[in-house]
């Protein structure tokens, strides 16, 4: 399915429209909460965890006033220019492996974007950034916890820059939108539905897809952890999602993504 039509930014997010793009089984599986504005869809999803919902809940907002990224960063979320979406799930019911959920979601969203964009290749910068032509067009923030009623929950947060043409100074060099990188406008409703479809097709062998999309393997990168910063060559990604690097002294290290961020040699961190 290709959508090269002019993107109607005024189009309100409508759950009936999203459901129209899903088969009945998938449409019935999810609850939907579509908002004009919220601080952060992830923050709201975490508040709603434990409210006894019997279905996974999809929350989408037209804008966020305090969108959040990994490592305490903010996520720029201007009105109608992107897809800001969180999916609240019970990880046990969905049978998704939590340690690699960010990797899975990254491949699912990359597939969803490519299905709607002609001839576009979406790369992944370990661990959670989706890139087109070297620019970050999407970030993923998965958060897990236990709610008041003792049930484990996971919030899958996805922010896709769709039509922004300009970004704030601090991210201008690294961020892009699907439109600014490809000249193609994709419809938020179609993308939301496509992401849900791809999230619903969980296959434990997604890591090969993740590895094929990697833009860091073989590259020199700057590794930034809470107590150290060093240059290294990215060598491979293991099945458990960790990144294997070799530092400048030839020492091999295995990076688990918790507190680590990565950037290319001459880049600011994203
Ligand atoms: C990152 O780039 O580090 C992750 C960004 C994740 C942004 C999305 S937008 C929807 C959801 N709500 C948030 O506050 N964050 C995620």
């Amino acid at each position: 399915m290709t959508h090269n039509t002019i993107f109607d930014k005024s189009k309100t997010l409508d759950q009936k429209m999203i459901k129209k793009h899903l088969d009945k089984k998938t449409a019935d599986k999810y609850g939907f909460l579509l908002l004009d504005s919220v601080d952060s869809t992830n923050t709201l999803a975490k508040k709603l965890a434990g409210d006894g919902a019997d279905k996974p809940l999809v929350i989408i907002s037209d804008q966020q006033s305090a969108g959040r990224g990994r490592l305490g960063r903010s996520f720029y979320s201007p009105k109608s220019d992107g897809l800001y979406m969180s999916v609240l799930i019970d990880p046990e019911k969905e049978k998704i492996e939590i340690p690699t959920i960010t990797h899975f979601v990254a491949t699912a969203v990359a597939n969803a974007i490519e299905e709607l964009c002609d001839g576009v290749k979406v790369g992944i910068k370990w661990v959670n950034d989706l890139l087109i032509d070297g620019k970050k067009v999407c970030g993923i923030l998965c958060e897990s916890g236990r709610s008041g009623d003792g049930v484990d929950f996971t919030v899958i947060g996805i922010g896709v820059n769709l039509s922004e043409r300009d970004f704030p100074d601090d991210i201008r060099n690294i961020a892009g939108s699907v439109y600014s990188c490809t000249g193609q406008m994709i419809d938020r409703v179609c993308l939301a539905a496509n992401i849900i479809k791809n999230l619903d097709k969980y296959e434990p062998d997604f890591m090969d897809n993740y590895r094929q999309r990697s833009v860091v393997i073989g590259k020199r990168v700057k590794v930034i952890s809470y107590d150290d910063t060093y240059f290294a060559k990215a060598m491979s990604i293991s099945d458990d999602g960790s990144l294997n690097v070799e530092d400048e002294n030839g020492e091999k290290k295995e990076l688990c993504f918790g507190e680590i961020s990565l950037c290319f040699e001459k880049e600011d961190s994203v």
Side-chain angles (χ1 to χ4, degrees), residues 40-42 64 67-70 75 85 128 136 139-140 158-159:
S40 149
T41 54
N42 264 35
Q64 298 184 114
R68 297 188 291 108
R70 273 184 73 228
F75 187 79
M85 167 172 173
N128 67 326
K136 173 172 173 173
I140 289 153
I158 300 162

Side-chain angles (χ1 to χ4, degrees), residues 116-206:
L116 295 172
C117 261
D118 285 336
V120 169
K121 187 87 197 109
V122 179
I124 300 178
K125 190 177 123 203
W126 187 90
V127 58
N128 67 326
D129 292 337
L130 301 195
L131 270 57
I132 298 178
D133 280 345
K135 296 276 190 179
K136 173 172 173 173
V137 298
C138 169
I140 289 153
L141 175 66
C142 295
E143 302 180 281
S144 292
R146 178 161 290 190
S147 60
D149 63 3
V151 176
D152 289 331
F153 69 86
T154 296
V155 175
I156 298 169
I158 300 162
V160 189
N161 306 327
L162 285 175
S163 56
E164 293 93 331
R165 290 153 202 251
D166 200 13
F167 289 87
D169 287 348
D170 56 331
I171 54 170
R172 185 162 295 141
N173 291 337
I174 46 185
S177 64
V178 174
Y179 179 70
S180 70
C181 295
T182 69
Q184 298 183 53
M185 293 288 200
I186 51 176
D187 186 301
R188 279 188 303 179
V189 167
C190 297
L191 182 60
N194 239 16
I195 289 174
I196 293 167
K197 280 187 225 167
N198 277 279
L199 289 178
D200 226 45
K201 286 193 293 214
Y202 181 74
E203 296 284 350
D205 60 356
F206 62 85

